[in-house]
Amino acid sequence: MLPFSVRVDRGSRRAHFEIGDAAFTLGADEYSPWIPVEFGGGRATAHGFCRFRVTSFDDPFQVYVTPINLDPEHPDMPISDPPHFAIALAKLQGKFATLGLAEDTWALNERVIDEKAFLEQAYLIHEERRTQFLHALDRNPSGAVAVVFDATDRIQHMFWRYRDPEHPANAGKDTTAFADAIEDIYAAGDQVVGETLAKAGPGDVVLVISDHGFANF
């Protein structure tokens, strides 16, 4: 257990958080940066980080916390090969999501967060991957560079219902506000492809590969 304190100003709709050595203020529907958290009590300390988001300033006040990721600056187990690579990336570019499925699909399934919050989370992670990939392209003039962008997968899983007016998951939910979510993430992917092609030399080969397609159940 890791206690933290929150001071809420409902008039200005601002909340001030203190957790460990971190202090930050959030408005409504706003993600915090990655916040480091440590868990101890035994002979070892576990290092992680997460994001916070106020989901309601009404009574009761509600806060969403992302699943805790392993901290790449203090990995308690190897999360890259070589092991120091994750540490170097974090020190160079800042903390980045490290969970195998970092986009919190179950939080949206359980309506802990809404579609807007999920999309913002997915795009934050997408941008981390994009930054790392383009950096790797600049630093590796030869050999192979590969990256997995998984926001297309996560967003299609969670937003496919918008493409089917008869989808049972639409019951009681918005069916128009994010109707273009799937097309938008593919446009973001196309942007990365364009940036990759712009960096490619005459002898380079660029492969854009999908491991599966999508369809309705």
Side-chain angles (χ1 to χ4, degrees):
M1 181 178 293
L2 183 67
F4 65 91
S5 64
V6 187
R7 296 197 307 273
V8 181
D9 184 341
R10 285 191 168 88
S12 64
R13 296 176 64 79
R14 306 289 289 174
H16 182 73
F17 292 77
E18 293 184 5
I19 177 168
D21 296 329
F24 55 96
T25 301
L26 293 177
D29 300 326
E30 176 182 323
Y31 276 109
S32 72
W34 289 120
I35 303 299
V37 291
E38 294 184 2
F39 301 89
R43 290 183 296 176
T45 299
H47 302 85
F49 61 84
C50 53
R51 293 187 191 272
F52 293 74
R53 184 184 181 96
V54 177
T55 56
S56 176
F57 276 97
D58 299 328
D59 191 12
F61 174 78
Q62 297 180 48
V63 177
Y64 161 69
V65 183
T66 67
I68 296 173
N69 290 245
L70 289 166
D71 189 340
E73 290 189 86
H74 303 279
D76 295 314
M77 63 182 70
I79 59 173
S80 66
D81 186 16
H84 68 266
F85 181 59
I87 300 172
L89 271 180
K91 291 188 179 300
L92 181 68
Q93 299 171 357
K95 296 184 186 299
F96 55 90
T98 59
L99 289 177
L101 201 164
E103 300 87 351
D104 196 354
T105 56
W106 274 107
L108 180 54
N109 277 335
E110 300 295 328
R111 309 310 294 177
V112 176
I113 59 175
D114 59 16
E115 282 78 9
K116 180 175 183 290
F118 182 85
L119 282 174
E120 289 179 9
Q121 185 182 112
Y123 274 92
L124 285 168
I125 296 168
H126 172 82
E127 188 59 29
E128 291 172 352
R129 301 276 176 86
R130 174 182 168 274
T131 299
Q132 292 175 350
F133 175 55
L134 296 179
H135 172 81
L137 286 180
D138 290 338
R139 295 295 182 92
N140 293 274
S142 62
V145 177
V147 65
V148 176
F149 289 99
D150 54 23
T152 48
D153 175 272
R154 310 303 189 246
I155 289 173
Q156 284 186 101
H157 274 298
M158 307 311 294
F159 290 81
W160 194 269
R161 66 179 181 84
Y162 281 89
R163 301 176 62 85
D164 178 5
E166 303 302 319
H167 200 294
N170 284 330
K173 299 175 186 174
D174 163 73
T175 58
T176 59
F178 302 101
D180 296 329
I182 293 174
E183 287 78 3
D184 289 345
I185 189 58
Y186 272 100
D190 285 343
Q191 177 184 340
V192 178
V193 173
E195 292 172 314
T196 305
L197 292 172
K199 292 178 178 292
D204 293 334
V205 176
V206 177
L207 302 177
V208 182
I209 303 171
S210 174
D211 60 331
H212 60 79
F214 262 85
N216 213 343
F217 279 119

